[in-house]
Amino acid sequence: MTVDRCSCRRRKDVTLVSLLLLVLAMALGPTPSSAAGNDWWTPTARPTPDSQINVTGEPFTGTDAEGEVRGFVDAHDHLFANEAFGGRLICGKTFSEAGIADALKDCPEHYPDGSLAVFDFITKGGDGRHDPVGWPTFQDWPAHDSLTHQQNYYAWVERAWRGGQRVLVNDLVTNGVICSVYFFKDRSCDEMTSIRLQAKLTYDLQAYVDKMYGGTGKGWFRIVTDSEQAREVIKQGKLAVVLGVETSEPFGCKQVLDIAQCSKADIDAGLDELYALGVRSMFLCHKFDNALCGVRFDEGALGTAINVGQFLSTGTFWKTEKCTGPQHDNPINGASASEAEGKLPAGVEAPSYDSDAQCNTRGLTDLGEYAVRGMMQRKMMLEIDHMSVKAVGRALDIFEADSYPGVISSHSWMDLNWTERVYGLGGFVAQYMHGSQGFVAEANRTKALRDKYDVGYGYGTDMNGVGGWPAPRGADAANKVTYPFRSVDGGSVIDRQTTGERTWDLNTDGAAHYGLVPDWIEDIRLVGGQDVVNDLFRGAESYLGTWGATEKHQAGANLAKGAAATASSAEWNPFTSYAPGRAVDGTRDTRWASGWSDDQWLRIDLGSTHLVGRVTLDWERAYGKSYRIELSTDGVNWQTAWSTTSGDGGLDTTRFTGTPARYVRIHGLERGTNWGYSLYEVGVHSS
């Protein structure tokens, strides 16, 4: 075939021009997602009718110049709490295949005027009467002070994502006792059954959003099961969703009359099941003491009501004692009157409590410690909010002994005196969604610690969590939110949010639903300044930093496990052995115990010389008040690596400059009790 030279040259010229235009377009034109003529953040098949989002502009993608993700983290939310507590405590759904009219409707018993909205008037006061109609009028709900109506409709969560949120922790939640005593329910009160359902619905919501965007994996709502997956999702500009669990009797671990109703096998099976569901963080106790740990009390009349629930669930009321340190549980304030007391059996009364005894006597049980160590083995993060200070102290001791960073305080239920220990481990702290003024004040109290450890901050909205949310500051408030405003990254414009016939304004409506999270953050900026918001904008990175460090954690080799051990003495008992080797056999079911005098020692032969930099001592009740950690290469010449005169028992972690040693000696100088010295386990580590 003969080729026309002129025709060929024209084609080459056209090709060259096309390439030049393409390069110019790539250099000067919009981002690739927009260049394709498709706003990737806008669904192609949103249901009609539906809620408006009222945010314009492309969500930011990628990382900052230092390679860190940007964005906010909500470390504590309950997307599907409407499925908890028997299914009729919180009314309305997060989404519905039948559309918004089906999703955002009230519980049947709330019609026609709320007369039977029992939980509503218990939590809000008044008579509970309200307009039950949701879509499209929303006259009375959702509202900042209505604790019984859906606040997490998926499109409202979408608005928060568009406003800059990049991580959301969806805590699967329920409470079997609340379910059992509430009048209206349409399903079992079994807690694990509810947890499984809520996990399934979270995956169903992901598929529901994907369908709007054209198929699997294309939507903005992405469930993630590891930190690198979360980073990739955020790099795409989408929302990384983490599954957590907050329930009162995980794995069926309740206790009745102080007798555990679960076993170690139940805990292992439960943790394995939750991990397979995608759960990566969880609470071990919530509201009621259980077989794993004691709780941090609620206050006043609410505290009395929950204490009644504790009795109905466990057969025992809370027991208090004087606190031994600066940390304390919430005061119960005596026996404040509560309608819940009418649920008690005849002749049983809720106790009163001394004002100077604010700590729960119950800490982390042996089963609780087993669960904590089981979470560590699975690289899961422990939520310490709601745990008694005694339980938190022991959990932090365990983590510090192994340098384990996976600890989270997600919604202001931790004593603030624990904050530095959490940060020191590499953990993460978020504050409850208080009003902007209160939020800023609390954020400022811990600002110096965040700067010291170079970490960001989070918030826990706890929506659908029966807690109450920021009230309106008023149309005439100083520094009120002015609509429209720009997102923190500057790339989006956010206007008042409209759903159906109702438009919400944070100034006059408060934080009525999840879609107003960006408005609340703008209120924080106006009230407290840019610094607080900057810390929040670093929150996603810090949360993922904690998660990633947890995943990568490797337990250090215990050089003492199985080593030869000798001691100055061993307590004699005809039924069991307290020999020195019992402190290095790798189990807390045995222990070494000395004679009942002060000057005693336990010596461990590591077999060869190692670099020793950390020793952990797990004391029985007979602990050392004054003792030394001594090291030797030859078993003759000793040097003191660490010492204390104020030991208080529990689990001690001693750290010191790495020193070559074959022999490690724990030298007791003064006992903390009338007994001798007794150790469940001694750990010796290089670092």
Side-chain angles (χ1 to χ4, degrees), residues 517-536:
V517 168
D519 312 51
W520 171 72
I521 291 173
E522 172 68 0
D523 201 38
I524 288 172
R525 185 186 71 82
L526 295 169
V527 169
Q530 189 65 37
D531 282 352
V532 179
V533 176
N534 288 345
D535 279 359
L536 289 172

Side-chain angles (χ1 to χ4, degrees), residues 499-530:
T499 303
E501 299 171 12
R502 176 78 184 271
T503 297
W504 282 271
D505 182 323
L506 187 83
N507 302 302
T508 54
D509 296 310
H513 61 67
Y514 207 92
L516 296 171
V517 168
D519 312 51
W520 171 72
I521 291 173
E522 172 68 0
D523 201 38
I524 288 172
R525 185 186 71 82
L526 295 169
V527 169
Q530 189 65 37

Side-chain angles (χ1 to χ4, degrees), residues 254-277:
K254 69 183 300 178
Q255 54 98 7
V256 177
L257 298 176
D258 293 322
I259 300 174
Q261 305 298 298
C262 68
S263 66
K264 291 180 178 179
D266 294 325
I267 292 170
D268 282 329
L271 286 173
D272 287 343
E273 179 184 7
L274 291 179
Y275 194 90
L277 290 173

Side-chain angles (χ1 to χ4, degrees), residues 15-54:
T15 301
L16 180 61
V17 170
S18 298
L19 286 171
L20 288 171
L21 288 173
L22 179 59
V23 171
L24 186 64
M26 291 176 67
L28 301 178
T31 60
S33 59
S34 297
N38 174 37
D39 292 344
W40 64 267
W41 58 93
T42 302
T44 57
R46 188 186 295 279
T48 302
D50 204 358
S51 173
Q52 297 181 36
I53 306 301
N54 306 105

Side-chain angles (χ1 to χ4, degrees), residues 13 35 71 142 203 246 343 377 398 404 423 429 463 562 628:
D13 290 344
Y203 286 96
E246 182 184 38
K343 295 286 185 179
Q377 292 168 4
I398 293 170
Y404 189 79
Y423 283 150
V429 175
M463 289 209 171
R628 296 194 298 253

Side-chain angles (χ1 to χ4, degrees), residues 73-77 143-144 151-152 156 160 165 385 409-413 430-440 442 457-465 467-471 506 509-524 536:
V73 53
D74 180 354
H76 193 105
D77 187 30
H144 74 91
Q151 296 174 295
N152 281 318
W156 298 337
Q165 186 169 306
D385 286 2
S409 172
S410 61
H411 67 329
S412 298
W413 266 85
Q431 184 191 156
Y432 186 81
M433 190 184 185
H434 296 115
S436 56
Q437 292 164 317
F439 190 94
V440 168
E442 186 168 332
Y457 202 34
Y459 51 81
T461 61
D462 201 16
M463 289 209 171
N464 285 1
W469 296 275
L506 187 83
D509 296 310
H513 61 67
Y514 207 92
L516 296 171
V517 168
D519 312 51
W520 171 72
I521 291 173
E522 172 68 0
D523 201 38
I524 288 172
L536 289 172

